[in-house]
Amino acid sequence: MFLDQVRTEPTLSIATGLRRFLAKDPLESDLSRRRFRMRAGSSRTAFTNAERSYVFGFNAVMSREVDKIEDIPAEQRPLGYEGAAAACTVLDLLTLTRGRRLHELLAGPAQHHRHAAYLGAGRAYALLWLRPVRGARRAHPLLRWLAVDGFGFQWSMTRADRMVGERTMPDLLTRAHCAVFDQGLGRLLWYHDCASPDDVAARVGGYPPGRRADLWSGVGFAATYTGGAESDELWWLAEHAGADGFRAHLAQGCAFAVAARLRSGTLPDHTSQAVPILAGADPEEAASWTDKALIALGHEAHTHEDFLHWQSRTRRSWTRRHRH
């Protein structure tokens, strides 16, 4: 199991100076310490592995051993680069280097894990209590909005009592950020209720109707990207999303997740299992919806509205696919 591999191999050197102060305790990957509902079985393993990979990648940057991320299992590698991007962004923000480290990571070892890297960059802003901005120099014009998603995930993880229990929205956000923030919150809800379709659906249903579409999109992304549910549970999840009126949003989140996984080069079994159920198509077709939508937007697309249009066009592909 990867849980054991991270403890023994690969190993990281101890960071020095400021980096040693910023390095994370590996125990942070145990989400039960945050009072998340961690049921025994594959779901708990999936979430613990994901966060353990994130922490490993974060600490690999702090110990200047990013290359060791390549030594972890292939399906966990994107999560490792998510952590690496978070660490690079933290260092960039603290040392005022205008995104230099993040850019070098994106141009080098993380070039096939750009979705994960931008999510990680957003987590860094949340760690430092900073408003997510447009991103580093030469950032991807649309993928950079994933940083707001990552911000929503991390902000909600560390403030679950307020974000999940009280369903508040942080004052740091502009109105334009809120929809993408809720997609990150939706991913967090999948973790928080440990991939239980009934509990996740009940949790989403507690939010105002205007927020639930984006929450379902985030749930679809997490269920596909990270996994944690069996086939029958995924069918129930799709039923719940449909009953709430947001079946297309669940499918769109799934399509974005499989597109990210395919670009990373490895399609985990849990992703291959989720896509036919949540998107009703094979992985390559679902991923193609996002590519076609991006092409339709043109080369000048870069705004928050363009990012949301990218998603809405993807949903239209799903709707056309299932019209009959």
Side-chain angles (χ1 to χ4, degrees):
M1 294 293 292
F2 180 51
L3 289 173
D4 298 323
Q5 289 178 332
V6 169
R7 294 191 185 103
T8 59
E9 187 182 31
T11 57
L12 296 172
S13 304
I14 297 175
T16 59
L18 174 65
R19 291 169 180 251
R20 183 172 184 175
F21 173 76
L22 294 171
K24 290 186 172 295
D25 183 343
L27 292 178
E28 288 188 32
S29 61
D30 182 3
L31 297 179
S32 64
R33 301 176 76 203
R34 299 185 184 275
R35 295 184 293 158
F36 283 23
R37 179 178 175 267
M38 289 286 110
R39 53 182 178 154
S42 59
S43 54
R44 180 176 186 136
T45 300
F47 299 139
T48 303
N49 281 349
E51 282 303 288
R52 192 176 294 274
S53 299
Y54 166 82
V55 170
F56 181 87
F58 191 100
N59 288 343
V61 168
M62 294 305 169
S63 64
R64 295 182 171 86
E65 297 171 301
V66 177
D67 58 303
K68 289 190 176 181
I69 295 175
E70 292 295 316
D71 295 334
I72 66 177
E75 71 176 58
Q76 294 295 330
R77 221 164 280 156
L79 287 306
Y81 283 112
E82 181 180 329
C88 287
T89 304
V90 165
L91 290 170
D92 283 336
L93 291 169
L94 291 178
T95 59
L96 305 178
T97 49
R98 300 178 62 194
R100 176 180 58 80
R101 293 178 183 86
L102 178 61
H103 171 70
E104 290 173 354
L105 183 75
L106 286 165
Q111 59 184 302
H112 299 300
H113 308 281
R114 297 172 72 84
H115 287 73
Y118 282 110
L119 291 172
R123 294 184 71 164
Y125 279 92
L127 289 171
L128 297 178
W129 288 58
L130 294 174
R131 184 191 304 247
V133 296
R134 292 191 173 184
R137 296 170 296 171
R138 292 165 285 185
H140 188 285
L142 283 184
L143 287 184
R144 63 187 174 85
W145 287 102
L146 289 172
V148 183
D149 182 317
F151 177 92
F153 180 89
Q154 182 67 43
W155 188 273
S156 302
M157 174 182 284
T158 54
R159 300 161 183 82
D161 288 347
R162 279 182 289 159
M163 306 309 302
V164 179
E166 301 174 15
R167 299 183 286 277
T168 59
M169 184 68 77
D171 295 333
L172 283 171
L173 293 183
T174 66
R175 181 170 297 180
H177 287 142
C178 290
V180 187
F181 175 93
D182 273 343
Q183 293 169 32
L185 172 57
R187 289 196 298 122
L188 190 277
L189 294 180
W190 183 246
Y191 283 58
H192 187 275
D193 287 292
C194 208
S196 167
D198 294 339
D199 293 338
V200 171
R203 190 77 67 181
V204 172
Y207 286 82
R211 297 182 65 181
R212 295 210 293 268
D214 295 304
L215 294 173
W216 277 115
S217 175
V219 169
F221 190 101
T224 307
Y225 194 83
T226 308
E230 303 297 333
S231 293
D232 59 334
E233 293 174 314
L234 292 169
W235 283 113
W236 273 114
L237 185 70
E239 289 288 332
H240 282 302
D244 201 20
F246 299 109
R247 182 67 182 83
H249 288 79
L250 184 77
Q252 171 257 302
C254 171
F256 269 63
V258 69
R261 280 293 193 175
L262 284 171
R263 290 188 181 93
S264 292
T266 300
L267 198 66
D269 290 341
H270 66 258
T271 301
S272 298
Q273 170 187 264
V275 179
I277 299 172
L278 301 185
D282 62 56
E284 288 74 17
E285 180 184 354
S288 74
W289 300 340
T290 72
D291 295 335
K292 292 174 182 176
L294 185 60
I295 292 170
L297 286 172
H299 296 297
E300 301 301 318
H302 67 282
T303 67
H304 163 259
E305 289 79 11
D306 290 330
F307 182 79
L308 296 182
H309 287 157
W310 185 17
Q311 295 180 320
S312 67
R313 287 176 180 271
T314 301
R315 289 193 293 274
R316 284 200 289 273
S317 291
W318 177 85
T319 301
R320 287 192 295 269
R321 174 72 160 76
H322 298 277
R323 184 170 292 161
H324 303 294

